Amino acid sequence: MSEFDYDLFVIGGGSGGVRAARVAAGETGAKVALAEADRYGGTCVIRGCVPKKLMVFASSYSGLPEEAAAYGWDMSLGAFDWDAFSSRMRNELDRLEGVYRNLLDGSGVKMFDARARLKDPHTIELSTGETVTAKHILVATGGRPVRPEMPNADLGIVSDDIFNLETLPKSILIIGGGYIACEFACILAGLGVEVTQYYRGAQILRGFDDEARGLIAESMRDLGVDLHTGTNIVEMSCFRDGDDLEDVSMDAPVEAAQYGMPEEDAPKDGPIKVKATNGRVRVFDQVLFATGRAPNTADMGLEEIGVSLRRGGAIEVDDYSQTAVPSVYAIGDVTDRVNLTPVAIREGMAFVETVFKGNPTPVDHDLIPSAVFTQPEMGTVGMTEEQARDREEVDVYCTSFRPMQSAFAEKTARVLMKLVVSKENRTVLGCHIVAPNAGEIIQLAGVAIKMGATKEDFDRTVAVHPTMSEEIVTMRKPVRTG
Ligand code: NDP
């Protein structure tokens, strides 16, 4: 009989936590419990990847009739019904949450619908008032979107809120140039919202390959996104009829008293007046802050029991996801390593392998393929040209062209295929694709690159014709070298 209530207590029912809990319980017979304070499925299923992708699908239909006309179809675009779509989307998320609960239940994991806090290295206090003990504790609490610190920032929304909007705004300002900002700029533009995007840097999608991000920026502008780089928000306030847009002082932020009402009743969902760093003042129905995410580590008792946090609040872990307190492990976004669902799942599996199967398994964070679901998508694996050049001499193979399907409809949209190759040993160091369904293509290119494929291995592979991705095996001459 164990001295603890459970062999494993998982805090957080997102992708990583649920996988670790059910594999530990289902495959090793461990006695496992899990606490989730919100909805099962976490960011990915409830307010991230899944509803986002459904919205990507929804928005992609808007371009169809125009293209279909070139193929002889007489199609017309009716109105987009947000109510119909969003209630269907919510039903789907409810169904998926049910699947997650059933998976845990079926594996014998005890679920607590409660917030958990660490009291000591083996004791968890729950918001229900219960206290339980566990031999091992796994923190998988994920992250949350953050707003910049500025007056009235709560007038804007964050990505979590998009899925619960009662109506789609007529116009929106998106702040940021990362994954979330760019994905929602394309989604909302596709759904007919007038989208303006302010990004403080010189080019969106910092950290991605320069040529690829350049093409994404161009494509987003073609899609109708009014993208301003080198621009940020400096002030925001509620817009009131009669406000003078030329009055750039904006020194009268929202004060409930101005409306003759208590603070909590001050209007928060009316038009918003925004002043940009270039001095221009504009009014938008909605402002979306896509300005990054922060790990959920506040008020969990972590530092009190000796778990070290990094700057920004992420939990510090070793290669085996173990924290400074030996009985406490952490996986997923709360550790701010590579913040992607499949990585959190891998980290959860490696944790179970290490702790419950006696097979110490570090997580391999190298060569992780990923996609940005802009329109077109960007798929990427390995080093950017810029990163590779900093390390060694490279040959760069790149082609950009108008793909057959949309070129036939006289669209100017371009795609890009790029390989960054080591000059020394010909290994493909990076692959970058901007194209419809690039996420699907990069998954397979990722296998080859993970196996250490050389450019000659790509060359030896026969093209699949006629496709866009055949270009990835037919590029003969480097466009740049050195
Ligand atoms: P990112 O870190 O990718 O982007 C944040 C953006 O906000 C950057 O452009 C950043 O600018 C800008 N920013 C930060 N602070 C401020 C500020 N104070 N004022 C103005 N701009 C600011 O975060 P996201 O929220 O887009 O995404 C978080 C993570 O979620 C991603 O890194 C990714 O790991 C994951 N994710 C993955 C997806 C996928 O796989 N398709 C989809 C969505 C999210 P700067 O570049 O100058 O720092």
Side-chain angles (χ1 to χ4, degrees):
M1 182 76 183
S2 165
E3 59 181 300
F4 301 106
D5 299 331
Y6 296 99
D7 300 314
L8 171 65
F9 195 98
V10 180
I11 308 179
S15 304
V18 168
R19 179 63 68 91
R22 71 183 178 88
V23 175
E27 291 183 14
T28 76
K31 194 173 174 204
V32 182
L34 183 149
E36 169 57 56
D38 199 322
R39 296 185 62 185
Y40 286 74
T43 298
C44 173
V45 175
I46 303 297
R47 49 194 165 264
C49 323
V50 172
K52 181 273 304 287
K53 193 78 190 274
L54 292 173
M55 287 184 73
V56 169
F57 291 139
S59 78
S60 67
Y61 289 100
S62 62
L64 265 190
E66 199 191 330
E67 206 169 295
Y71 287 88
W73 288 98
D74 178 12
M75 265 188 204
S76 60
L77 191 64
F80 174 66
D81 185 342
W82 169 254
D83 274 350
F85 166 71
S86 62
S87 74
R88 238 186 127 83
M89 175 170 70
R90 278 194 288 272
N91 288 344
E92 175 63 2
L93 304 186
D94 291 347
R95 186 186 71 81
L96 290 172
E97 184 179 9
V99 169
Y100 269 69
R101 280 184 182 271
N102 288 341
L103 283 171
L104 288 169
D105 204 34
S107 310
V109 177
K110 163 86 179 154
M111 283 174 273
F112 291 94
D113 290 351
R115 190 177 153 75
R117 225 181 157 275
L118 302 185
K119 190 173 171 211
D120 68 43
H122 295 284
T123 308
I124 303 106
E125 290 174 328
L126 296 166
S127 52
T128 51
E130 293 155 283
T131 297
V132 295
T133 58
K135 185 168 182 203
H136 303 285
I137 295 171
L138 180 66
V139 183
T141 46
R144 64 185 188 287
V146 288
R147 294 171 166 84
E149 283 193 16
M150 61 182 291
N152 296 327
D154 64 341
L155 290 175
I157 57 171
V158 292
S159 56
D160 290 1
D161 305 317
I162 289 265
F163 311 110
N164 298 316
L165 287 175
E166 285 189 6
T167 51
L168 276 185
K170 195 168 165 306
S171 64
I172 193 164
L173 170 66
I174 299 181
I175 311 290
Y179 281 82
I180 295 180
C182 296
E183 289 180 347
F184 277 110
C186 293
I187 290 170
L188 294 171
L191 295 179
V193 179
E194 287 165 28
V195 179
T196 304
Q197 185 177 354
Y198 290 171
Y199 173 52
R200 62 185 178 182
Q203 183 57 286
I204 54 164
L205 295 169
R206 184 166 61 83
F208 288 89
D209 186 86
D210 276 356
E211 242 169 333
R213 62 212 272 252
L215 181 55
I216 293 284
E218 206 177 294
S219 310
M220 285 173 61
R221 289 189 171 108
D222 287 347
L223 203 67
V225 175
D226 184 16
L227 171 63
H228 298 257
T229 52
T231 307
N232 206 351
I233 184 172
V234 282
E235 289 175 53
M236 64 194 296
S237 65
C238 273
F239 175 74
R240 295 174 297 274
D241 281 345
D243 267 8
D244 183 359
L245 282 189
E246 298 311 313
D247 166 22
V248 293
S249 72
M250 295 208 31
D251 53 6
V254 186
E255 282 168 16
Q258 289 170 342
Y259 300 91
M261 58 180 69
E263 180 113 19
E264 59 276 18
D265 292 340
K268 295 225 188 278
D269 54 358
I272 301 163
K273 186 163 85 163
V274 171
K275 182 177 173 186
T277 39
N278 60 12
R280 185 154 179 218
V281 177
R282 293 177 63 186
V283 174
F284 301 92
D285 283 344
Q286 198 68 264
V287 174
L288 167 67
F289 287 108
T291 44
R293 298 176 59 86
N296 284 329
T297 47
D299 193 28
M300 286 191 60
L302 289 162
E303 283 178 296
E304 290 87 328
I305 68 160
V307 172
S308 317
L309 302 185
R310 300 206 314 267
R311 233 179 110 234
I315 298 179
E316 197 163 6
V317 289
D318 66 10
D319 291 347
Y320 302 91
S321 299
Q322 191 171 30
T323 72
V325 175
S327 59
V328 180
Y329 288 72
I331 56 164
D333 288 10
V334 76
T335 62
D336 196 18
R337 286 176 281 181
V338 179
N339 299 334
L340 298 171
T341 299
V343 177
I345 291 172
R346 289 276 166 135
E347 290 167 356
M349 303 280 276
F351 158 77
V352 174
E353 203 64 34
T354 302
V355 176
F356 289 94
K357 295 190 180 178
N359 175 26
T361 306
V363 181
D364 178 3
H365 288 107
D366 198 26
L367 292 171
I368 294 170
S370 72
V372 186
F373 293 97
T374 41
Q375 292 164 30
E377 296 173 6
M378 164 151 61
T380 180
V381 58
M383 280 186 258
T384 66
E385 179 180 343
E386 298 72 38
Q387 288 164 340
R389 264 186 206 291
D390 277 350
R391 216 183 68 163
E392 60 183 278
E393 291 207 347
V394 291
D395 286 331
V396 176
Y397 298 80
C398 186
T399 178
S400 178
F401 55 95
R402 290 167 64 198
M404 192 189 211
Q405 186 176 1
S406 55
F408 183 76
E410 292 171 24
K411 296 261 186 79
T412 54
R414 301 186 76 79
V415 302
L416 176 135
M417 310 271 158
K418 178 168 179 177
L419 293 176
V420 183
V421 177
S422 161
K423 219 171 165 56
E424 188 194 355
N425 59 24
R426 304 292 293 157
T427 305
V428 178
L429 302 172
C431 175
H432 309 281
I433 298 176
V434 176
N437 297 315
E440 304 289 348
I441 305 171
I442 204 70
Q443 179 68 82
L444 299 180
V447 177
I449 291 169
K450 188 77 185 168
M451 290 173 74
T454 60
K455 176 66 171 66
E456 283 61 39
D457 291 324
F458 275 71
D459 293 346
R460 285 193 298 120
T461 308
V462 174
V464 178
H465 184 72
T467 63
M468 288 179 293
S469 52
E470 67 181 298
E471 297 285 333
I472 210 85
V473 297
T474 57
M475 293 185 285
R476 288 287 169 257
K477 287 211 164 68
V479 290
R480 283 182 294 282
T481 187

